[in-house]
Amino acid sequence: MSRSPSLPDRPRLDLDPDMSEAERLEALRQHFTRLVQVNDELDDRLDRAEARGDDLQGEVDELKRRNEALKTSSLYIATVEELTADGAVIKQHGNNQEVLTDVSSRLEDELDPGDRVAINDSFSVQTVLDDETDARAQAMEVDASPEVTYDDIGGIDDQVREVREAVEAPLVNAEQFRAVGVEPPSGVLLHGPPGTGKTMLAKAVANETDATFIKMAGSELVRKFIGEGARLVRDLFDLASEREPAVIFIDEIDAVAAKRTDSKTSGDAEVQRTMMQLLSEMDGFDERGEIRIIAATNRFDMLDEAILRPGRFDRLIEVPKPAVGGRERILDIHTDDMTVDDDVAFADLAEGLDGYSGADIAALCTEAGMFAIRDERTTVTRQDFEDARDKVEAGDEGAVTHDGFGAYQY
Ligand SMILES: Nc1ncnc2c1ncn2[C@@H]1O[C@H](COP(=O)(O)OP(=O)(O)OP(=O)(O)O)[C@@H](O)[C@H]1O
């Protein structure tokens, strides 16, 4: 920036006592003329300074506007790979594009290789993101020792057996599988209506095998920043490696693995990238140690066949709503800690609960208990169960998933 020239010297008036009147008058006139010149020059400078002030204010306004735009526009996620004298080498998540970008002096000291950053359309680093463990913690549920056991699950004994064979046996008898040369299934896909015990099953396997249970909802994987879904998938598998033996449970897998549609929105592309990352993690599964992967969906019909190929989710287990015997068992399980009157016959009750899922039956039992509590009784009666059933069935549609109520058709 050019420096402003120094101010003009203040004109001086030198009057000699020996001057004649005429000479004094002439000196005063010249002084006056210089004063007017200096004044004009200063006026001129003031005008220019004001114009420059206006220019600068314009620049400030423009920067403020751009700043606002940056704050409100979407940002992409990238990881800092290297810091060089020419700037930072960053790799954008999702498309893995590597870019060398300038780093503003504001962020220079904050940035380290490995940091996750948010970048704008011009790849300029806007902010350094929090530690990734935060993102992991938000998106994943990690339970070092879940408490659900196989005995807590009613009405789906065949499915429990199949899951044990496919998931538990390879974890417990890894050596034997290797010795015999049998490849255990890579991934198990549980499919069936909501509330039938799919999550319980995955938790019970983790419990029985002393494995860490790591749950991620498919909807979480697609709701994050662009590029974040694929990253979360990597994090998910990395975390499982750190914690092995581990059971990875991906709920609502249809959110990431739905059939391709014709629409080409960036959201779809993002979901595709997340699915590709998931598939590539599963394809590299052999090198992984004691990690088993279970996914679940209520929308089997929507799944992209790519995820069902051998080596991926190649063991499909349907988890249906319980039949009458199963419903009776689930009633037993969920009233285990309740004091139930002798007049309650679970076999009869179960007959009338056609179409109820395990979750519906659990809700029914709680509701029956609430009727007893409202009446200040300690024993739950047959009438309480009937009232509970009326309430559940008359209650908000959709809350009950049994036939004729929920929108779900399986
Ligand atoms: N087969 C079952 N036996 C006993 N309880 C069950 C059974 N199925 C569901 N429940 C009850 O319903 C609750 C929800 O079940 P769970 O989360 O396992 O269902 P889900 O099939 O994973 O459902 P969603 O598809 O909605 O995720 C359980 O915590 C349990 O109380």
Side-chain angles (χ1 to χ4, degrees):
M1 200 161 61
S2 65
R3 300 177 105 237
S4 48
S6 53
L7 289 175
D9 289 337
R10 173 193 278 262
R12 286 184 50 185
L13 176 61
D14 290 322
L15 291 180
D16 193 332
D18 296 336
M19 280 177 164
S20 66
E21 278 299 312
E23 284 168 337
R24 277 172 176 257
L25 195 58
E26 181 52 30
L28 280 170
R29 193 176 289 125
Q30 284 180 7
H31 182 61
F32 175 72
T33 308
R34 277 201 306 277
L35 281 177
V36 171
Q37 278 171 352
V38 168
N39 187 43
D40 286 351
E41 194 176 327
L42 287 174
D43 264 353
D44 196 36
R45 289 232 206 142
L46 187 60
D47 284 350
R48 273 184 280 145
E50 276 173 358
R52 174 97 184 108
D54 285 347
D55 280 355
L56 287 174
Q57 187 57 50
E59 274 181 44
V60 168
D61 291 345
E62 171 63 13
L63 284 173
K64 274 193 189 155
R65 195 188 56 69
R66 275 204 246 159
N67 194 19
E68 274 313 306
L70 280 177
K71 277 197 231 154
T72 49
S73 63
S74 316
L75 299 174
Y76 301 87
I77 307 295
T79 299
V80 178
E81 303 220 298
E82 203 186 328
L83 293 171
T84 72
D86 298 325
V89 179
I90 55 168
K91 190 184 223 175
Q92 196 179 336
H93 295 189
N95 62 7
N96 284 339
Q97 193 176 358
E98 285 185 303
V99 192
L100 176 67
T101 181
D102 271 342
V103 178
S104 71
S105 51
R106 179 177 63 87
L107 290 172
E108 227 165 39
D109 295 339
E110 271 188 58
L111 227 52
D112 287 311
D115 280 349
R116 284 185 332 138
V117 289
I119 54 173
N120 64 11
D121 285 343
S122 339
F123 303 104
S124 151
V125 176
Q126 303 300 306
T127 37
V128 182
L129 296 176
D130 287 348
D131 203 339
E132 74 186 48
T133 45
D134 291 347
R136 281 178 171 187
Q138 280 167 17
M140 296 179 207
E141 175 192 326
V142 181
D143 191 344
S145 48
E147 287 180 351
V148 180
T149 67
Y150 297 127
D151 286 343
D152 297 327
I153 307 174
I156 48 173
D157 298 347
D158 287 348
Q159 288 75 7
V160 171
R161 188 181 39 73
E162 277 191 72
V163 169
R164 292 187 72 167
E165 274 170 20
V167 188
E168 185 182 316
L171 276 176
V172 176
N173 306 319
E175 268 314 312
Q176 200 187 353
F177 270 76
R178 255 192 296 276
V180 179
V182 173
E183 275 295 316
S186 298
V188 171
L189 180 74
L190 307 176
H191 61 103
T196 46
K198 298 182 288 299
T199 309
M200 288 184 95
L201 251 173
K203 281 191 174 170
V205 178
N207 175 352
E208 296 299 319
T209 54
D210 289 326
T212 302
F213 174 79
I214 306 173
K215 176 179 164 180
M216 164 87 77
S219 49
E220 280 292 335
L221 285 173
V222 295
R223 207 183 301 132
K224 301 281 161 185
F225 279 115
I226 290 185
E228 195 79 329
R231 168 77 182 200
L232 278 174
V233 169
R234 270 201 302 279
D235 283 351
L236 178 67
F237 281 79
D238 286 351
L239 184 67
S241 295
E242 285 164 23
R243 301 286 188 91
E244 65 174 343
V247 171
I248 294 179
F249 180 63
I250 304 178
D251 203 4
E252 308 166 55
I253 184 107
D254 44 282
V256 259
K259 276 186 197 121
R260 273 158 246 224
T261 54
D262 289 338
S263 83
K264 296 245 169 2
T265 64
S266 63
D268 287 346
E270 173 57 10
V271 172
Q272 279 296 313
R273 272 198 291 274
T274 305
M275 180 171 103
M276 295 320 284
Q277 184 64 38
L278 177 63
L279 295 184
S280 93
E281 293 286 348
M282 291 196 74
D283 291 345
F285 208 59
D286 288 350
E287 299 96 66
R288 296 183 183 274
E290 297 174 45
I291 301 170
R292 297 282 102 200
I293 168 161
I294 302 179
T297 180
N298 306 327
R299 304 299 316 269
F300 185 62
D301 54 319
M302 296 223 336
L303 291 185
D304 189 322
E305 284 180 8
I307 76 152
L308 305 177
R309 288 203 197 116
R312 295 170 176 173
F313 291 100
D314 49 11
R315 181 65 65 94
L316 307 180
I317 301 176
E318 183 176 355
V319 185
K321 288 183 180 176
V324 61
R327 298 199 290 271
E328 186 180 343
R329 171 82 191 112
I330 298 174
L331 280 166
D332 253 337
I333 292 170
H334 284 283
T335 51
D336 200 31
D337 292 333
M338 286 164 67
T339 316
V340 179
D341 200 290
D342 290 341
D343 71 347
V344 182
F346 285 148
D348 289 351
L349 188 57
E351 285 283 353
L353 299 181
D354 195 21
Y356 273 59
S357 68
D360 295 336
I361 297 173
L364 179 86
C365 294
T366 307
E367 204 55 64
M370 294 306 294
F371 275 108
I373 288 171
R374 262 178 235 135
D375 271 5
E376 298 180 356
R377 279 180 281 108
T378 51
T379 304
V380 186
T381 63
R382 186 190 183 100
Q383 189 60 46
D384 292 330
F385 278 97
E386 276 164 22
D387 291 345
R389 208 183 125 187
D390 289 346
K391 182 167 179 205
V392 167
E393 290 185 13
D396 34 356
E397 293 171 24
V400 180
T401 55
H402 64 276
D403 295 344
F405 283 84
Y408 187 84
Q409 295 294 318
Y410 208 78

